[in-house]
Amino acid sequence: MGAWNYQIFCNDDTCDAMCDIMESEDLYGTLKSFLDEAIEASDDYIEVDVAGFGLAASAVIDSIINEPAYDILFEAESSEYDEFFKKHDDKKKELDALRSDAVKVLDIILGEESEMRELWEENEELYPLWKNTILKLKERLE
């Protein structure tokens, strides 16, 4: 996992996922598939790339339903994704059906069998900030 800060879209996996999401012709289907893959992986051990894609999907769902929360998403007060979020504003009701799966994925990412959590724990300075970011996102989705 290449991360440069603790916010959600400050690592390679979530940015890769966002590229796939933005290129998708089926937003709901793509987000659901990323969430489903993360949930299925939780039966054993969730690897960092699968967690990253599930995390990105959760953040996109939240950003479209609730408006972007820049403090948990990025290092800046705006992003290259703003236009994408606005473009899909009409999907709020449809994406609302994915909230509970998104929350489940966030719990999995914070769980004992998560490579992403393990990697973040190695950084004593940023781990608490990263964990708080995930918890804030979860709270927004609940």
Side-chain angles (χ1 to χ4, degrees), residues 3 6 11 21 35 41 46 49 51 63 79 84 89 92 129 133 137:
Y6 63 88
N11 82 64
I21 291 166
L35 296 174
I46 186 167
D49 58 332
S63 294
S79 82
F84 174 82
D89 191 54
K92 287 182 182 191
L129 298 170
T133 296
L137 177 58

Side-chain angles (χ1 to χ4, degrees), residues 76-110:
E77 288 299 314
S78 64
S79 82
E80 62 194 75
Y81 306 145
D82 287 346
E83 194 171 311
F84 174 82
F85 296 141
K86 289 176 188 169
K87 175 182 168 185
H88 293 289
D89 191 54
D90 62 330
K91 304 256 192 283
K92 287 182 182 191
K93 191 171 188 172
E94 180 183 12
L95 296 182
D96 195 58
L98 296 175
R99 271 185 198 251
S100 62
D101 284 347
V103 168
K104 189 181 295 187
V105 166
L106 298 176
D107 284 336
I108 292 165
I109 289 169
L110 291 172

Side-chain angles (χ1 to χ4, degrees), residues 1-136:
M1 174 180 71
W4 51 93
N5 214 336
Y6 63 88
Q7 291 91 350
I8 292 168
F9 287 108
C10 290
N11 82 64
D12 293 334
D13 292 317
T14 55
C15 288
D16 289 346
M18 192 62 190
C19 287
D20 289 356
I21 291 166
M22 290 173 70
E23 293 173 0
S24 171
E25 293 183 23
D26 177 13
L27 179 64
Y28 180 91
T30 299
L31 295 172
K32 182 161 178 27
S33 72
F34 290 170
L35 296 174
D36 288 348
E37 187 175 354
I39 291 167
E40 288 172 21
S42 72
D43 290 339
D44 186 25
Y45 181 80
I46 186 167
E47 295 189 18
V48 69
D49 58 332
V50 175
F53 275 64
L55 180 56
S58 299
V60 168
I61 292 164
D62 175 63
S63 294
I64 292 172
I65 292 173
N66 296 318
E67 304 296 321
Y70 294 104
D71 61 322
I72 65 174
L73 298 176
F74 312 102
E75 295 175 288
E77 288 299 314
S78 64
S79 82
E80 62 194 75
Y81 306 145
D82 287 346
E83 194 171 311
F84 174 82
F85 296 141
K86 289 176 188 169
K87 175 182 168 185
H88 293 289
D89 191 54
D90 62 330
K91 304 256 192 283
K92 287 182 182 191
K93 191 171 188 172
E94 180 183 12
L95 296 182
D96 195 58
L98 296 175
R99 271 185 198 251
S100 62
D101 284 347
V103 168
K104 189 181 295 187
V105 166
L106 298 176
D107 284 336
I108 292 165
I109 289 169
L110 291 172
E112 290 298 312
E113 299 300 322
S114 168
E115 182 181 23
M116 181 176 276
R117 180 201 44 80
E118 289 174 358
L119 291 170
W120 275 105
E121 278 184 329
E122 293 173 7
N123 186 323
E124 292 178 19
E125 178 187 349
L126 292 182
Y127 173 69
L129 298 170
W130 174 81
K131 182 178 179 182
N132 190 46
T133 296
I134 304 301
L135 291 172
K136 282 182 184 178

